């Protein structure tokens, strides 16, 4: 059975350290269950930019933090800058990013992905 091709740039990231750094940047949100990240749907450098945020409806959801995907440093500091990364994916939870990290580690170490 063949694996479906990746639809978004973050699904093609091979380096587990990328996802580790995304998780580190998600830690500014106090409650782990409220941490969210959206990845840029366009990518020119091989590692998409992203923004961390509270879930929709949270009182602080209008204050996302945008990061450069290659350096993991902040891009701008205003909510208006959030659109600089281009179109964004749906929001991923902390556990979903952990799954992306595990998948990248499995690929790196040549382990087959579970079906």
């Amino acid at each position: 059975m063949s694996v479906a091709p990746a639809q978004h740039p973050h699904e093609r990231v091979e380096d587990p350290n990328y996802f580790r750094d995304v998780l580190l940047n998600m830690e500014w949100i106090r409650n782990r269950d409220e941490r969210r990240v959206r990845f840029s749907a366009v990518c020119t450098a091989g590692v998409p930019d992203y923004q961390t945020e509270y879930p929709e409806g949270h009182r602080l959801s209008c204050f996302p933090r945008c990061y450069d995907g290659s350096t993991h440093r902040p891009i701008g500091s205003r909510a208006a800058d959030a659109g600089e990364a281009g179109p964004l994916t749906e929001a991923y939870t902390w556990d979903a990013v952990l799954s992306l990290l595990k998948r990248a580690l499995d690929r790196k170490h040549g382990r087959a992905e579970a079906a």
Side-chain angles (χ1 to χ4, degrees):
M1 175 182 270
S2 64
V3 176
Q7 295 180 339
H8 298 291
H10 70 276
E11 295 172 330
R12 294 189 294 267
V13 173
E14 298 289 328
D15 185 5
N17 289 327
Y18 172 83
F19 294 110
R20 287 184 183 116
D21 288 337
V22 169
L23 289 167
L24 286 172
N25 282 330
M26 291 175 78
E27 288 183 343
W28 70 272
I29 298 172
R30 189 177 303 242
N31 184 346
R32 179 179 158 181
D33 292 335
E34 293 180 338
R35 296 174 185 165
R36 301 288 186 272
V37 64
R38 293 179 189 268
F39 298 95
S40 175
V42 295
C43 177
T44 56
V47 284
D49 295 343
Y50 57 95
Q51 76 179 28
T52 58
E53 61 190 26
Y54 279 91
E56 187 174 325
H58 189 280
R59 66 185 175 85
L60 297 174
S61 65
C62 58
F63 297 106
R65 292 186 182 178
C66 301
Y67 296 90
D68 180 294
S70 58
T71 65
H72 298 278
R73 293 199 172 136
I75 301 172
S77 59
R78 300 175 307 130
D81 295 332
E84 289 181 4
L88 299 172
T89 64
E90 72 278 359
Y92 286 79
T93 63
W94 177 268
D95 290 337
V97 178
L98 283 176
S99 293
L100 292 169
L101 171 60
K102 182 187 179 313
R103 188 170 29 177
L105 285 167
D106 286 347
R107 283 191 303 256
K108 179 179 180 179
H109 297 294
R111 295 188 287 248
E113 292 184 30

